[in-house]
Amino acid sequence: MGIRVTQPGLLTTVQDLGRTKGLAQGFSPSGVMDQWSAIQGNLLVNNVENEAVLEYSILGPTVTFSKPAVIAVTGGVVNAKLNGAQIHENQAIEVNSEDVLEIGPLTQGRYGYLAVSGGLQVDSILASKATSLRYGLGGFKGRALKTGDFLATVEPKPVIAEPEKRKIAVSSHDTDQTVLIRVTEGPQFAQFEAETITAFTNQQFKISKNADRMGLRLEGQPLSVANVPEMLSEATVAGGIQVPKNGQPIVLMADRQTTGGYPVIGVVASVDLPTIAQLVPGQVVRFKMISLTQSQQALADQKAQLKQIKQTFDALNPKVSRKTATKIIRLFR
């Protein structure tokens, strides 16, 4: 059972939530750019949150299913079609053998996801199935998908009760020309002059055409680093906002290097990482400073929302009586 790639789309890779156990060895974490959308896709098809999905950028792939499965398309807005008929995003969809899914171009956002019931069966390296393109590591042969690739999935098809009821109400992606992004103080925040901090929070920055999975390069009035002391390399974090000598900030993302020597003025709040990841070149951001406590509370609220979604879907699963459960256990003894 599996998926045959007919058209690969743009930068379609196998990703999960990242290779966090490889950081000490110098491996980039990689993983999905928009964790919120990827997790939602997995919940829709009854997978664990960290199961591998397909991530695509700007243009989604066309794939053919060799066996029945349950799928979900999440993330950036697309007009996906199954055997030529349009399907909805953010809900579970049953597919049959030889069905063809054409995801097509994104009309909003930058990254999209295809989750499949049971997950994608690729090798786990350093406790992750994520593709690290810089090293040719993980995922499917360490690279983006090509026409003719075949990805194995679970066989037989996992049983999912009432898939038609597995839906998530998702608001449209932020298409405003200016998007507000919350940030906390970075490790070198206090070393920047007051005028630079004011410029950082008051001005607008445009997403550069050079933005990619490693980092989002921003364009605006340069921030001064003239009086920031030289520093040694230190560990990086997702959403860290580095300010190099040219004064144009870089927001570090999934494929970031594990260490860096540029001062970090701020760190994007975890809950806003999916928002900034989905912005396309030309869109504009403004940064709002918040406290660490506020950032933690926003993340806790998001986790509570995901927990509620999972509980709603778990309630759809058929109840197994104690007597039946005992019989099942005995079968496997």
Side-chain angles (χ1 to χ4, degrees), residues 88-166:
H88 294 291
E89 291 180 82
N90 307 308
Q91 70 176 57
I93 303 289
E94 291 189 278
V95 298
N96 297 308
S97 179
E98 301 307 318
D99 277 357
V100 177
L101 173 67
E102 181 183 0
I103 295 177
L106 277 71
T107 58
Q108 292 181 34
R110 182 161 181 163
Y111 295 96
Y113 300 91
L114 172 62
V116 182
S117 54
L120 303 173
Q121 303 305 293
V122 297
D123 291 337
S124 181
I125 300 176
L126 292 175
S128 173
K129 296 179 180 179
T131 305
S132 290
L133 295 172
R134 294 175 64 193
Y135 317 114
L137 179 74
F140 186 83
K141 300 182 180 180
R143 60 169 172 77
L145 298 185
K146 300 177 181 179
T147 298
D149 286 343
F150 184 84
L151 291 160
T153 54
V154 170
E155 191 172 1
K157 168 189 171 183
V159 177
I160 298 179
E162 302 183 87
E164 70 281 357
K165 293 184 179 180
R166 302 177 75 93

Side-chain angles (χ1 to χ4, degrees), residues 15-19 28-32 130-133 135 213 254-255:
Q15 299 289 352
D16 57 18
L17 299 186
R19 187 168 285 105
S28 168
S30 298
V32 294
T131 305
S132 290
L133 295 172
Y135 317 114
R213 282 182 48 87
D255 279 349

Side-chain angles (χ1 to χ4, degrees), residues 250-318:
I250 303 170
V251 184
L252 301 179
M253 302 303 287
D255 279 349
R256 67 189 182 277
Q257 67 274 22
T258 57
T259 61
Y262 294 134
V264 176
I265 193 171
V267 179
V268 175
S270 296
V271 292
D272 282 354
L273 276 173
T275 300
I276 197 168
Q278 289 288 6
L279 299 184
V280 298
Q283 280 191 273
V284 174
V285 298
R286 287 189 63 182
F287 295 112
K288 176 184 178 181
M289 299 299 305
I290 62 173
S291 68
L292 183 58
T293 299
Q294 289 173 314
S295 178
Q296 291 171 334
Q297 183 58 56
L299 182 60
D301 291 344
Q302 185 187 66
K303 289 182 177 179
Q305 186 178 350
L306 284 173
K307 183 178 180 180
Q308 182 59 53
I309 293 171
K310 188 176 187 304
Q311 289 175 340
T312 300
F313 291 161
D314 285 346
L316 297 175
N317 295 330

Side-chain angles (χ1 to χ4, degrees), residues 1 24 34 44 50 59 84 93 114 118 146 227 245 250 274 283 290 318 333:
M1 178 178 178
D34 179 351
L44 283 165
N50 192 34
L59 177 66
I93 303 289
L114 172 62
K146 300 177 181 179
N227 295 318
K245 291 184 178 181
I250 303 170
Q283 280 191 273
I290 62 173
R333 282 180 175 174

